[in-house]
Amino acid sequence: MQARSWRFGLATAALLALTACASQKPVLYPNATLQQRGDAAGQQAIEACMRRADAAGLDYSHGDVARRTAESGAIGGAGGAVGGAIYGSATRGAIAGAAGGATAGLIRGMFDRNDPAPVYRGYVNRCLAEQGYEPIGWE
């Protein structure tokens, strides 16, 4: 029974991680360019501009999840070392605290919105504007 619940938990966490990693895309204002070229052309322009941003070396994400995971691991490790020193083993406490803190940071990061980095968003918006599209936001 425990093996099943463990597998179910792992599968659920993987699904949540995939959902959280879904990236946002620009929403285009229905101006004359979009009306003339059509929605499909607008979506192709979005994809092309996002590829150009990637090719230019711009990173979509802020790297916040990795940073928060590392911070939480460090905080957990310090707290665990103190608790472990009080109760018998600072090393074991530090390891357990770091693992728990990193896990908490990772899970918290998975539930944050996956907004694009400001420079990436600006690059894609400008690329679209140069083609006559008007991005009004990202979702």
Side-chain angles (χ1 to χ4, degrees), residues 60-75:
Y60 176 91
S61 69
H62 302 269
D64 287 341
V65 173
R67 180 182 54 80
R68 287 186 199 152
T69 299
E71 287 174 358
S72 297
I75 292 167

Side-chain angles (χ1 to χ4, degrees), residues 105-127:
L106 177 63
I107 291 172
R108 185 178 7 167
M110 286 174 22
F111 288 100
D112 285 346
R113 291 185 52 176
N114 191 12
D115 295 337
V119 173
Y120 186 94
R121 182 187 330 219
Y123 187 100
V124 173
N125 285 348
R126 180 168 179 171
C127 174

Side-chain angles (χ1 to χ4, degrees), residues 7-121:
R7 287 184 198 142
F8 177 75
L10 186 61
T12 303
L15 252 170
L16 287 172
L18 288 174
T19 304
C21 292
S23 60
Q24 295 184 2
K25 293 185 179 183
V27 176
L28 301 176
Y29 182 77
N31 66 1
T33 301
L34 185 61
Q35 289 176 356
Q36 181 183 23
R37 296 179 186 165
D39 288 335
Q43 292 306 310
Q44 288 175 350
I46 289 171
E47 293 296 329
C49 287
M50 292 178 81
R51 282 193 303 273
R52 280 182 58 188
D54 293 338
L58 300 177
D59 188 16
Y60 176 91
S61 69
H62 302 269
D64 287 341
V65 173
R67 180 182 54 80
R68 287 186 199 152
T69 299
E71 287 174 358
S72 297
I75 292 167
V82 171
I86 293 170
Y87 294 106
S89 175
T91 303
R92 284 186 181 169
I95 292 169
T103 301
L106 177 63
I107 291 172
R108 185 178 7 167
M110 286 174 22
F111 288 100
D112 285 346
R113 291 185 52 176
N114 191 12
D115 295 337
V119 173
Y120 186 94
R121 182 187 330 219

